[in-house]
Amino acid sequence: MPKKISELKESLRSEQSIHTDFRETMTYGEYLSLDRILSSQNRLSGHHDEMLFIVIHQVSELWMKLLLHELTAAIDEINAGELQSAFKKLARVSKIQSQIIGAWDVLATMTPAEYLEFRGSLGRASGFQSHQYRLIEFALGYKSDYILKIYEKDPDIHRELEQAYKAPGIYDAAIGALSRGGFAINPDLLDRDFTIIYDGDPTVAAAWEEVYRDTERHWELYQLAEKLVDVEDWLQQWRFRHMKTVERIIGFRQGTGGSSGVAYLRNVLDHRFFPELWNLRTTL
């Protein structure tokens, strides 16, 4: 049976080691800077549901910050041949993605009528402008130069995005791992123009097929391939939930940032980040 309230209070009092004097000691809230975080939900309208809209997007940006932290470290580790460490981080990336997907389910509780009450307050601000989402796309190999113009207002963010735009992504690191593993990879791929979206190569396809046909011999590369498939799978589910949530709330109206909204989100669903890893499912 549940404990009585008096018993619970007595149990708490018996915890003699619990600290209660924080006059000269850092608190939980101070460590997490909760004063700044919890005072950053600034509604521009008086509508109740704008708080939901702000919090969901802020939480998603925090998850994306952690995702980028793990993803960029995984790329460095793949390049260094430390695949087991990279696998841990990529597994965490997939779990983070599942959390962001879950956020769309909460936002989907907002109705079109509720959103219209404060949509005008957003001006041209839009999730389309999320620079962290662009950094994720760049790290996965999806490069779009016209996107960079959006960020010229902030030189630091623009500089960070330009560097990521020119840098090799995680699939380039994986192709390098194939080459170091003894596979005959087209040398042009190892020092290519990384601003160009990768769209496949026969030598990479042949290498991955050999990995999948002899998984015991190439176990680490096989694990790497499956971790990459996990990341892309979750990203596409993220994109799909985003698209359906937008369709549910605003239909096929233009986005606040000027994009075509649902039509744009549907188009990007067709892109494959790691084409050979999906094609071999058919060719094996």
Side-chain angles (χ1 to χ4, degrees), residues 47-60 99-116 118 122 126-127 238 241-250 265:
H47 196 271
H48 173 85
D49 291 299
E50 189 181 358
M51 181 65 75
L52 166 65
F53 190 81
I54 292 171
V55 168
I56 288 296
H57 286 85
Q58 287 182 339
V59 168
S60 295
Q99 295 298 311
I100 302 176
I101 291 168
W104 293 120
D105 294 336
V106 182
L107 188 59
T109 63
M110 181 182 294
T111 69
E114 290 164 346
Y115 182 50
L116 286 174
F118 64 86
L122 303 180
S126 166
W238 174 7
R241 286 300 300 134
H242 184 187
M243 183 266 291
K244 294 306 292 184
T245 302
V246 171
E247 184 178 358
R248 176 171 177 154
I249 296 175
I250 69 168
L265 295 171

Side-chain angles (χ1 to χ4, degrees), residues 3-249:
K3 289 186 176 181
K4 295 179 181 179
I5 292 176
S6 59
E7 291 176 334
L8 291 172
K9 287 182 177 179
E10 182 59 35
S11 175
L12 184 59
R13 279 195 292 268
S14 69
E15 295 289 340
Q16 299 298 319
S17 62
I18 293 176
H19 294 285
T20 57
D21 184 355
F22 287 92
R23 284 172 292 184
E24 297 184 16
T25 305
M26 179 177 65
T27 65
Y28 168 82
E30 288 168 338
Y31 172 67
L32 295 177
S33 300
L34 289 182
D35 56 338
R36 285 184 287 164
I37 293 173
L38 298 179
S39 61
S40 297
Q41 293 71 48
N42 303 309
R43 288 183 291 169
L44 298 180
S45 74
H47 196 271
H48 173 85
D49 291 299
E50 189 181 358
M51 181 65 75
L52 166 65
F53 190 81
I54 292 171
V55 168
I56 288 296
H57 286 85
Q58 287 182 339
V59 168
S60 295
E61 289 291 337
L62 283 172
W63 280 126
M64 281 190 270
K65 181 172 184 175
L66 180 57
L67 191 157
L68 284 164
H69 178 69
E70 302 295 339
L71 187 59
T72 53
I75 292 173
D76 290 341
E77 289 172 347
I78 294 169
N79 285 328
E82 300 170 1
L83 296 186
Q84 292 299 323
S85 295
F87 297 158
K88 170 70 175 184
K89 292 175 177 61
L90 292 176
R92 186 174 292 162
V93 165
S94 293
K95 292 296 184 181
I96 295 167
Q97 289 172 299
S98 72
Q99 295 298 311
I100 302 176
I101 291 168
W104 293 120
D105 294 336
V106 182
L107 188 59
T109 63
M110 181 182 294
T111 69
E114 290 164 346
Y115 182 50
L116 286 174
E117 290 290 333
F118 64 86
R119 188 180 194 239
S121 300
L122 303 180
R124 293 296 184 187
S126 166
F128 186 84
Q129 298 146 16
S130 168
H131 82 278
Q132 291 197 120
Y133 180 73
R134 298 304 168 191
L135 287 171
I136 293 169
E137 285 192 328
F138 288 179
L140 296 179
Y142 187 71
K143 308 292 183 75
S144 306
D145 59 349
Y146 75 94
I147 290 293
L148 295 175
K149 189 170 179 61
I150 294 173
Y151 309 97
E152 290 178 348
K153 181 178 181 179
D154 190 320
D156 290 336
I157 289 177
H158 189 265
R159 191 178 307 111
E160 183 181 11
L161 281 161
E162 269 196 322
Q163 290 173 353
Y165 176 67
K166 297 173 182 177
I170 194 166
Y171 200 50
D172 298 300
I175 291 171
L178 287 172
S179 179
R180 292 191 302 273
F183 292 96
I185 299 298
N186 178 358
D188 293 340
L189 296 178
L190 304 176
D191 190 26
R192 67 186 186 89
D193 180 352
F194 297 112
T195 66
I196 299 173
I197 297 176
Y198 177 82
D199 63 357
D201 183 273
T203 62
V204 175
W208 283 128
E209 184 164 339
E210 186 175 335
V211 167
Y212 273 75
R213 290 193 183 280
D214 193 349
T215 58
E216 290 187 9
R217 182 181 177 186
H218 306 294
W219 183 249
E220 281 201 329
L221 290 170
Y222 173 61
Q223 285 182 288
L224 174 58
E226 286 299 295
K227 290 288 187 249
L228 293 178
V229 169
D230 287 343
V231 170
E232 178 164 353
D233 191 350
W234 279 110
L235 187 81
Q236 294 294 45
Q237 292 185 55
W238 174 7
R239 282 175 159 181
F240 180 78
R241 286 300 300 134
H242 184 187
M243 183 266 291
K244 294 306 292 184
T245 302
V246 171
E247 184 178 358
R248 176 171 177 154
I249 296 175

